[in-house]
Each structure stands twice: as C-alpha cells, then as structure tokens.
Amino acid sequence: MRPFESLPDRALTDAELRALRESDAITEAAPMALVAHEPGIRLLALQRDETLYGLGYDPEEGWTVVTERGADDPKDLEAVRDVLRGWADGVYRDATHVD
C-alpha cells in the first residue's frame, strides 16, 4: 500500500499532519510550502521506509504523486520541495508560496 491512499479528498489540516507523523507506516511527513490564499496543507513530503514522496493536492484531481525518489541524501528533500513548487505554479496559477 502506498502511504497516501488514506489521505482525505481535500487539503490536510494541521491535526491530520500530526496524525500522519505519529503513524507507524510513515517515517516522516512535512509540509513543503503553503499556497497563499488556499487553506490547508497542499504540498506535502512523505517518507515511508527509504522512499520519499512529493504529493500535491489538486482541487480537481485530488492528491497526486508529483515526484518519488529514494531518501538517501538530505538534498533529496530540497529537490522534492522544488519539484512541488513548480507543480503548484501550474495548478495554483495565481498563488504564491509561503514558507
């Protein structure tokens, strides 16, 4: 099972992010950036075992795997963030990113 199949069909709340972090199936979960003027966590990095997933929430398509890579290097998280920001620029055309 992929670690994101149980995500809700909407952006995550802070409480849901905390629950993901406490889950035994997830090594780590972190928001990558906020999308201005859009509520909730829409750009998310999830690590399960040795795999790092970059997930984005699209209001029309739901949660999408934007990138998937090994979690071998600390720079992998930066790369996931950059890919997610680029993806968000296409989905949320009028939004800006807030770290």
Side-chain angles (χ1 to χ4, degrees), residues 37-60:
H37 310 296
E38 297 289 344
I41 299 165
R42 294 167 180 263
L43 304 175
L44 181 66
L46 285 181
Q47 182 180 344
R48 180 175 185 195
D49 300 323
E50 298 303 317
T51 303
L52 185 60
Y53 299 91
L55 305 176
Y57 179 74
D58 180 331
E60 295 178 13

Side-chain angles (χ1 to χ4, degrees), residues 7-44:
L7 292 176
D9 192 25
R10 57 174 167 65
L12 287 180
T13 65
D14 290 337
E16 289 166 332
L17 177 62
R18 282 191 299 276
L20 274 175
R21 287 179 168 160
E22 294 170 2
S23 167
D24 291 336
I26 303 296
T27 306
E28 182 58 84
M32 290 289 90
L34 298 176
V35 179
H37 310 296
E38 297 289 344
I41 299 165
R42 294 167 180 263
L43 304 175
L44 181 66

